[in-house]
Amino acid sequence: MIPAAVIGVGQTNYKAKRRDVSIAGLVREAIDKALLASDVEWDAIDAVILGKAPDMFEGVMMPELYLADAIGAVGKPVIRVHTAGSVGGSTAIIAASHVCSGKFDTVLTVTFEKQSESNATWALSPRYPYSPHINAGAGGYFAPFIREYIRRHNPPENIGWKVAVKDRINALKNPLAHLQILGIDEKMVSDSPMLWEPLRYLESCPSSDGACAMVIANKNLSNSRNAAWIKGMAVRSEGTLSAGRDEVNPQGGIDCAKDIYNQAGITNPRNEIDCAEIYVPFSWYEPMWLENLGFTDIGEGWKLTNEGLTELEGDLPINMSGGVLSSNPIGASGMIRFGEAALQVMGLAEDHQVKNAKVAMGHAYGGAAQFFSMWIVSSTKD
Amino acid sequence: MTKQETLKLQAPFELSYDYKRSSGPIMSKFFEALSKKKILGTKNASGKVFVPAAEFDPNTNEALTEFVEVESTGIIESWSWVANPKPHHLIQSAFAFVLIKFNGADTSMLHMVSECAESDLAKGVKVKPVWSSDPKEMILDIKYFVLEK
């Protein structure tokens, strides 16, 4: 496999409503920043890999057609990726795979969502015939999984509140983050309205507009640059409602993590990974994924959160950027995780930088907790 | 029809949602200008004029920010005659969908030509807009085009 690295990450700011730009303008803003950060021109780009969550979110079917001009795809291969909420991660992996295979030397990859043009909960919960209409959206879908996690392991009820506070404190150190909640504390979270029991309003991700882009290149370009070398990457899938599936600790997530650790030669993720950006759209998913990803034993994830180990200054910082809980342009949210992991090992994460971060993980999940995409990036090639 | 087929269930599945569109700084100006009976294009570094205004040049990738006003008259580049409009069509008598290149533009725009016969249509035929009396900063601020005689 040909070594590949992220050589530049570009992100828009994340906001509830970017009414000042079109979808094309939003996507291009992230691309311009990624090209600038990579110090490459358009002619260096061999292909463009675009991802976003369901087209029904904005009502623009096949947006890669309308966006071909804005993403510089004219005369080049363009590939559209779609794996629900994990799409930002799987798009990065499709892009990197085309470099690792030798098919392309340098690819531009970009993901976006413009939630202000739409209503994701509506798009996720149409009134299907023969089914009761519960209008639950993602939070309503995941709440029972979270309830089951709590039933199995009996953690204190404030674990979710702690994650919600920790990620929003991190967001205050990331000027791009959507939610900037001064004075956030557990009381504020526990006083917020119950949305999908046991999830409260402030334990849930916002609806954001935003885009994230990366330039991924082989060693010809990456050797001479500050780069985040991709040491392992994988995707896994599960059925939506398969009998016997464990939604709390999905096998797909376990297998996907094992795969990237094997590729990267990691035997003890807790010790060997310096920090991770994992997909936590609802607070309790931090401890759930810490277990699923093998950072700790089953039933122990909430203890890492409880002891403050996942804080920016802790020994396993999680979601240093503020995470999905602070910014959620759905289609881009996975790529933001992957890109933020890259920024950490490149030493470019500014105020939310983890000191001496050399190895970082990017993680995303999507659908009914059924699509997983993950990668490990490192500050060194070898 | 077999018995098994007649037993299959069917139910209506209606899907509708009112999306919002943010047209951005370039297309917003184009639509604002339409409501004032003006046609705006954007110009790239080598002078090529895109009408309708484009945000990005598909060939050079440059972001297009320089506006130019072109004439509201133009020529037909291509057309498709609609002899028997259906209820969903915007014009209920025979008309043509056309690609119109405005005088001063290098690209063409999709719209409609009405009040003419199919035999009047040809590449290069001159057309002019019929403006709406109730402009809404939308493409239908031009109701349709007619032949410039």
Side-chain angles (χ1 to χ4, degrees):
Chain A
M1 200 169 77
I2 294 166
V6 177
I7 58 169
V9 180
Q11 301 180 63
T12 64
N13 62 337
Y14 304 116
K15 280 179 72 172
K17 295 177 170 67
R18 283 293 308 271
R19 292 271 169 80
D20 59 314
V21 286
S22 61
I23 293 172
L26 183 78
V27 169
R28 183 58 174 261
E29 201 175 295
I31 290 175
D32 285 344
K33 287 170 113 175
L35 292 177
L36 188 69
S38 317
D39 193 25
V40 299
E41 303 286 338
W42 281 106
D43 55 12
I45 302 298
D46 299 319
V48 185
I49 322 288
L50 175 92
K52 77 169 295 295
D55 291 356
M56 213 154 82
F57 282 5
E58 286 88 357
V60 180
M61 298 300 130
M62 298 186 286
E64 62 276 17
L65 305 188
Y66 146 69
L67 289 172
D69 301 356
I71 63 177
V74 175
K76 293 174 182 174
V78 61
I79 298 166
R80 159 74 192 279
V81 184
H82 174 40
T83 57
S86 74
V87 69
S90 48
T91 304
I93 289 172
I94 301 296
S97 300
H98 280 83
V99 176
C100 292
S101 70
K103 180 69 184 168
F104 303 123
D105 291 339
T106 308
V107 297
L108 169 67
T109 182
V110 62
T111 50
F112 73 95
E113 208 71 61
K114 203 154 188 288
Q115 292 216 54
S116 66
E117 311 222 347
S118 63
N119 181 323
T121 294
W122 169 80
L124 290 170
S125 306
R127 292 174 186 272
Y128 290 114
Y130 307 117
S131 300
H133 182 63
I134 54 174
N135 196 37
Y141 199 90
F142 295 132
F145 304 171
I146 289 166
R147 170 58 64 205
E148 170 63 7
Y149 174 82
I150 294 169
R151 189 197 65 79
R152 287 182 193 178
H153 305 304
N154 199 28
E157 87 175 317
N158 69 339
I159 295 298
W161 308 341
K162 274 179 182 270
V163 175
V165 170
K166 184 263 293 175
D167 282 5
R168 272 54 172 271
I169 286 174
N170 289 349
L172 292 169
K173 296 182 175 181
N174 175 9
L176 299 178
H178 175 174
L179 295 185
Q180 302 279 340
I181 309 174
L182 292 170
I184 181 90
D185 60 13
E186 285 185 44
K187 182 170 188 314
M188 198 189 288
V189 176
S190 61
D191 284 350
S192 68
M194 189 66 83
L195 287 190
W196 306 279
E197 198 278 333
L199 284 170
R200 292 182 180 275
Y201 178 75
L202 282 174
E203 292 181 274
S204 306
C205 53
S207 293
S208 313
D209 286 357
C212 178
M214 296 193 288
V215 177
I216 298 175
N218 66 16
K219 62 179 167 48
N220 298 343
L221 269 179
S222 305
N223 270 346
S224 58
R225 286 168 161 82
N226 183 12
W229 293 92
I230 300 159
K231 307 309 283 262
M233 56 182 173
V235 295
R236 287 291 188 283
S237 313
E238 293 197 359
T240 307
L241 297 166
S242 312
R245 178 169 104 87
D246 185 356
E247 288 97 339
V248 177
N249 184 29
Q251 191 63 41
I254 296 170
D255 295 345
C256 194
K258 277 188 183 156
D259 191 346
I260 61 167
Y261 298 153
N262 285 339
Q263 291 175 45
I266 289 172
T267 52
N268 184 335
R270 172 80 187 280
N271 291 342
E272 295 171 61
I273 294 172
D274 297 315
C275 57
E277 285 275 343
I278 65 179
Y279 206 99
V280 178
F282 302 100
S283 59
W284 283 91
Y285 267 101
E286 175 173 298
M288 288 163 70
W289 291 147
L290 286 174
E291 296 170 22
N292 187 247
L293 296 172
F295 284 111
T296 182
D297 290 336
I298 300 303
E300 303 282 311
W302 64 268
K303 294 177 185 170
L304 300 191
T305 302
N306 199 34
E307 290 162 25
L309 298 177
T310 60
E311 293 170 8
L312 190 53
E313 307 296 332
D315 82 6
L316 182 62
I318 301 288
N319 294 333
M320 301 68 71
S321 67
V324 182
L325 276 174
S326 303
S327 311
N328 189 28
I330 304 173
S333 290
M335 187 166 284
I336 299 168
R337 310 280 72 71
F338 280 49
E340 283 284 344
L343 290 173
Q344 287 288 343
V345 300
M346 293 163 92
L348 298 176
E350 300 186 340
D351 288 350
H352 59 283
Q353 176 71 46
V354 172
K355 232 181 251 176
N356 297 319
K358 302 291 182 208
V359 177
M361 172 193 243
H363 160 277
Y365 84 100
Q370 71 193 106
F371 296 128
F372 301 90
S373 51
M374 307 177 195
W375 77 10
I376 299 283
V377 283
S378 165
S379 58
T380 54
K381 186 166 76 176
D382 304 307
Chain B
M1 198 179 282
T2 67
K3 194 180 174 191
Q4 202 175 0
E5 277 171 322
T6 60
L7 287 173
K8 281 178 184 163
L9 294 174
Q10 276 198 339
F13 175 32
E14 285 179 19
L15 199 59
S16 78
Y17 182 76
D18 291 329
Y19 292 97
K20 291 188 191 76
R21 278 288 171 264
S22 303
S23 48
I26 303 300
M27 298 314 294
S28 291
K29 274 203 176 178
F30 172 79
F31 289 120
E32 279 167 30
L34 272 187
S35 72
K36 294 168 187 143
K37 302 186 181 178
K38 288 180 179 173
I39 311 288
L40 283 189
T42 45
K43 190 155 108 175
N44 77 4
S46 51
K48 183 176 177 182
V49 175
F50 295 80
V51 179
E55 286 195 78
F56 302 100
D57 186 315
N59 299 308
T60 65
N61 292 334
E62 62 198 290
L64 302 170
T65 54
E66 187 186 345
F67 286 93
V68 285
E69 186 180 344
V70 298
E71 292 176 32
S72 62
T73 56
I75 55 163
I76 293 175
E77 290 264 88
S78 188
W79 73 96
S80 175
W81 185 248
V82 182
N84 299 298
K86 302 286 186 295
H88 64 264
H89 283 114
L90 294 164
I91 298 173
Q92 288 301 300
S93 53
F95 70 99
F97 285 113
V98 287
L99 285 173
I100 294 170
K101 190 149 110 181
F102 291 94
N103 297 326
D106 294 302
T107 63
S108 54
M109 183 176 96
L110 178 68
H111 216 291
M112 297 168 288
V113 165
S114 187
E115 299 174 18
C116 66
E118 183 178 10
S119 58
D120 293 332
L121 299 174
K123 185 174 165 71
V125 164
K126 292 178 180 171
V127 292
K128 62 180 182 185
V130 174
W131 297 97
S132 165
S133 56
D134 179 25
K136 293 188 165 71
E137 300 186 335
M138 299 183 82
I139 194 67
L140 289 176
D141 289 356
I142 298 173
K143 289 167 71 176
Y144 48 80
F145 287 77
V146 291
L147 305 185
E148 191 184 46
K149 285 168 186 162

